[in-house]
Amino acid sequence: MKKYVVRNDIPRDIDQALLAYPELIRKLLYYRDVTTPEAAHTFLNPNFETGVHDPYLHKDMDKAVERILRAIENNEKVLIYSDYDADGIPAAVIMHDFFKAIGFTNFEVYIPHRHTEGFGLHLEAVDKFKEQGVNLMITLDCGIVDVDEVKSANSFGIDVIITDHHEAGPELPPAYAIVNAKQKDCEYPFDYLCGSGVAFKLVQAVLKKKRFDLKEGAEKWFLDMAGLATLSDMVPLHGENRVLAYYGLKVLRKSRRPGLIKLLSIMKMNQAYITEDDVGFMITPRINAASRMGIPKDAFMLLSETDEPTAHGFAKHLDEINKERKTLVATLVKEVKKVMLEREEHFRNQRVIVLGNPAWRPAILGLAANTIAEEHNKPVFLWGREEGVHIKGSCRSDGVSDLTQIMAGARHAFIDCGGHKMSGGFSVDHEKIHHLEEALVSSFAAMNTAKLEPEPEMLDAVLTLDEVTWQLYNHIEKLAPFGMGNPKPTFLFPKVTISGVKMFGKHQEHLELSFKNSNNKIIKSIGFFMKPEDFANTPKEGKNIDLVATLEKSMFGGKTELRMRIVDLI
């Protein structure tokens, strides 16, 4: 059961310094390490002109720009090589749209296949580029660890410009230029741009050197892709990222991309009111569905295609394969649960859940592992195999265990493994798969795991139902867009009486609770894909509960409504 703690009050001196703002906003700013009037003004009023850094502060940016301009001038063959996710694909769209805008056509876009190739550069692909007469390759959201692949490209006379935001390995690739703020000797003042953010900075830098025939500021139309990726990737929404996300949403709301417009129409979303939640829960999954379920370039085509009928076809296709993805994940979760039920005693005693089947599709294992980890509060490793000889898998943490440590202790069991504390991926030789569970369990046991307790979740304030007003919402909205590093404010509503409980949706899959304030006004609280039995304190009409919720504006059906979003019932 989750634990919650209401945050401490703001220190008196900081409270006084921020006195120009309402009390709750002062607290919310303080909780985000915004403690001075100057910092508060900057945070609450994102400014593109002052909030983005000079792209030439990046190490090697001048070299990258010089090489790109030379390629354009000499009409050299350029290859754009991007990752296949909702960061890499928008980055590819940015570069594609830039080249088209300046009238340069001698380029191609290559996006590796998630199943057959995987993340990063690949020697087989580089061999193809040699045959195609490529002179310059620009990587987007990948390349920083691909030493051998860059050496191979160089041997074929292909210059490589790496743009990336991932951590570098012990050896840097011998690229013509590397644009990545995480290099030790890079003086760029912000280390947390996503891959598309770096691609946008590259375009900014080229246009700073030569405008071609583009109007001043024309590159701001590419902010829809930079913002989309910034909101989709796990990067903190402060500093320059806050500016890119803020203006990215503004451009998304006006975007003229026919595929995006059609996709929004299919999802019954009003483009003029797109929020960060719409990006994270609706748009991003459909972009990622392309690589999980088929061909990643389909998502690129959705966002870059200008022919309406063609773009509309890609929108329908991505929406359909996303539905298929949901069905496959639900089926996979059922299969995993069935196996765990059949071997209930075994899994009850194991501190790490390791399960697999050669018939399971690797691309959707992470989504299923997430569900199992949340339900059982244990690290989960799931594996499968689709194409190729090696077994591939995904893992998710229980919220407290560090997956990188667990995998490091079982390194001998893997061909390859990597990721973050909370999520990761791995590949295993077919002959070693039966030893994987033993290796991971042993590694976990060897760790210092004196009962790890999850950190309590922090609540921003205690509110009453009478305080749920448009005035309060408008104050909170000033802090948007929300995401990593700037979480949506979450509140505790203690001892509130439920006046109604109902399920809604096409398949009755969503929960709605109703409450009444002191003026007898009904206030709704929504829980998507929730049901009463999901909570230890099961909601019933007339029952008093402690509600943990956020505030949101609903535009469903063209009707504007202030409501709450259920986080938990305690």
Side-chain angles (χ1 to χ4, degrees):
M1 186 174 177
K2 289 181 182 177
K3 294 182 179 179
Y4 297 93
V5 174
V6 178
R7 295 184 190 274
N8 294 328
D9 281 341
I10 180 171
R12 183 176 176 81
D13 58 332
I14 296 174
D15 193 48
Q16 288 297 309
L18 301 177
L19 212 51
Y21 303 101
E23 180 184 5
L24 179 59
I25 301 306
R26 298 199 296 273
K27 289 182 178 181
L28 295 177
L29 288 169
Y30 169 67
Y31 301 150
R32 285 154 181 77
D33 296 321
V34 178
T35 59
T36 67
E38 296 77 18
H41 179 80
T42 299
F43 186 87
L44 295 172
N45 302 278
N47 185 303
F48 187 80
E49 306 309 322
T50 60
V52 298
H53 304 296
D54 180 351
Y56 283 97
L57 294 173
H58 272 106
K59 180 177 184 285
D60 280 4
M61 184 64 87
D62 53 346
K63 291 174 67 178
V65 169
E66 168 269 317
R67 186 64 186 88
I68 289 170
L69 288 174
R70 177 150 49 96
I72 294 168
E73 185 178 338
N74 297 331
N75 198 35
E76 296 179 66
K77 181 70 175 285
V78 178
L79 192 286
I80 298 168
Y81 190 113
S82 85
D83 188 26
Y84 46 69
D85 67 2
D87 183 12
I89 285 173
V93 175
I94 289 172
M95 291 305 300
H96 166 275
D97 288 3
F98 164 67
F99 281 142
K100 280 190 66 178
I102 64 172
F104 180 71
T105 58
N106 194 16
F107 73 94
E108 287 186 21
V109 174
Y110 187 89
I111 303 172
H113 199 284
R114 180 192 284 259
H115 312 318
T116 58
E117 295 176 280
F119 177 76
L121 296 175
H122 303 280
L123 290 170
E124 295 83 358
V126 174
D127 287 341
K128 292 179 191 173
F129 305 151
K130 172 198 172 187
E131 295 167 9
Q132 294 166 4
V134 171
N135 304 111
L136 173 64
M137 176 165 62
I138 304 171
T139 77
L140 304 170
D141 192 32
C142 62
I144 194 64
V145 297
D146 298 317
V147 177
D148 291 340
E149 291 78 7
V150 173
K151 285 179 179 177
S152 178
N154 289 344
S155 72
F156 299 144
I158 301 173
D159 286 338
V160 181
I161 295 172
I162 292 173
T163 75
D164 204 346
H165 71 119
H166 296 99
E167 296 289 345
E171 180 186 357
L172 285 176
Y176 188 92
I178 299 177
V179 181
N180 182 345
K182 289 194 172 75
Q183 295 179 84
K184 289 179 182 176
D185 53 350
C186 180
E187 296 181 359
Y188 195 74
F190 188 72
D191 291 352
Y192 305 107
L193 291 173
C194 67
S196 287
V198 181
F200 181 78
K201 301 306 291 188
L202 179 61
V203 169
Q204 256 194 328
V206 175
L207 290 175
K208 196 170 182 179
K209 188 73 74 175
K210 184 174 180 179
R211 287 300 315 173
F212 297 92
D213 292 325
L214 296 186
K215 292 180 180 177
E216 195 69 35
E219 63 271 20
K220 290 180 182 177
W221 279 108
F222 306 149
L223 281 168
D224 60 347
M225 294 295 98
L228 171 64
T230 300
L231 291 166
S232 300
D233 211 40
M234 293 298 287
V235 291
L237 294 185
H238 57 69
E240 192 168 12
N241 279 343
R242 176 165 171 79
V243 177
L244 294 178
Y246 179 86
Y247 283 93
L249 280 173
K250 282 184 175 291
V251 180
L252 273 170
R253 291 165 186 152
K254 299 176 181 177
S255 179
R256 297 171 289 199
R257 301 181 187 277
L260 180 63
I261 292 169
K262 180 62 176 178
L263 184 64
L264 296 174
S265 172
I266 290 170
M267 297 186 296
K268 296 181 171 57
M269 287 170 54
N270 187 327
Q271 183 179 359
Y273 298 102
I274 290 175
T275 68
E276 63 272 29
D277 284 346
D278 296 326
V279 171
F281 294 112
M282 302 295 282
I283 301 173
T284 301
R286 285 160 175 80
I287 293 173
N288 284 332
S291 64
R292 292 187 189 279
M293 303 298 295
I295 302 169
K297 205 164 184 181
D298 289 347
F300 167 81
M301 296 302 295
L302 166 86
L303 297 170
S304 63
E305 181 60 61
T306 54
D307 177 71
E308 285 200 13
T310 305
H312 290 179
F314 282 113
K316 291 175 183 174
H317 171 63
L318 259 64
D319 190 59
E320 286 301 317
I321 62 174
N322 188 57
K323 290 175 183 173
E324 184 185 346
R325 173 194 65 81
K326 287 181 180 177
T327 302
L328 287 175
V329 172
T331 303
L332 176 57
V333 169
K334 283 182 182 177
E335 285 186 41
V336 173
K337 288 181 176 180
K338 182 183 177 186
V339 175
M340 291 183 68
L341 191 61
E342 290 169 352
R343 301 173 61 198
E344 186 176 4
E345 188 172 343
H346 172 79
F347 286 108
R348 187 190 308 122
N349 296 326
Q350 291 288 34
R351 297 181 70 182
V352 181
I353 295 172
V354 184
L355 260 176
N357 188 317
W360 291 350
R361 181 179 289 196
I364 60 172
L365 291 175
L367 302 170
N370 196 60
T371 300
I372 302 300
E374 285 182 355
E375 288 189 12
H376 292 270
N377 291 315
K378 294 179 180 181
V380 175
F381 290 74
L382 299 182
W383 57 264
R385 186 173 67 192
E386 192 160 36
E387 296 180 43
V389 296
H390 299 313
I391 285 167
K392 293 187 176 182
S394 289
C395 48
R396 293 295 184 269
S397 172
D398 54 355
V400 291
S401 304
D402 187 337
L403 293 173
T404 59
Q405 286 187 33
I406 299 173
M407 289 190 286
R411 190 67 185 83
H412 61 281
F414 300 108
I415 296 172
D416 193 21
C417 61
H420 309 285
K421 179 179 178 179
M422 295 298 164
S423 67
F426 58 88
S427 57
V428 183
D429 188 87
H430 177 72
E431 294 176 358
K432 290 187 176 180
I433 191 61
H434 299 298
H435 304 291
L436 181 62
E437 181 182 55
E438 180 186 354
L440 289 167
V441 170
S442 296
S443 173
F444 188 86
M447 290 166 56
N448 182 13
T449 54
K451 188 56 182 166
L452 293 168
E453 290 290 339
E455 291 284 327
E457 297 199 20
M458 305 305 291
L459 303 179
D460 291 294
V462 178
L463 298 181
T464 67
L465 294 175
D466 289 345
E467 292 175 283
V468 179
T469 63
W470 279 112
Q471 182 183 31
L472 178 66
Y473 174 80
N474 291 335
H475 286 321
I476 293 170
E477 194 179 28
K478 290 277 190 186
L479 281 77
F482 300 109
M484 183 178 166
N486 181 30
K488 187 174 288 189
T490 307
F491 307 109
L492 174 65
F493 297 86
K495 301 294 180 284
V496 288
T497 304
I498 300 171
S499 58
V501 179
K502 77 171 187 178
M503 300 299 293
F504 69 100
K506 187 176 180 181
H507 303 291
Q508 299 291 293
E509 68 269 49
H510 310 308
L511 174 64
E512 178 185 295
L513 302 182
S514 298
F515 304 90
K516 290 181 181 177
N517 65 15
S518 62
N519 294 321
N520 235 24
K521 180 182 177 183
I522 292 177
I523 299 171
K524 295 177 184 175
S525 195
I526 304 296
F528 290 110
F529 300 102
M530 292 180 176
K531 47 189 183 295
E533 52 268 33
D534 290 340
F535 302 98
N537 192 4
T538 309
K540 295 177 183 176
E541 188 173 336
K543 189 175 185 178
N544 276 355
I545 61 161
D546 289 344
L547 170 68
V548 179
T550 60
L551 268 61
E552 65 180 22
K553 175 168 66 175
S554 168
M555 302 294 296
F556 184 74
K559 179 185 174 186
T560 304
E561 180 184 34
L562 176 63
R563 68 187 185 192
M564 297 184 287
R565 177 75 71 94
I566 299 170
V567 174
D568 203 354
L569 309 176
I570 53 179

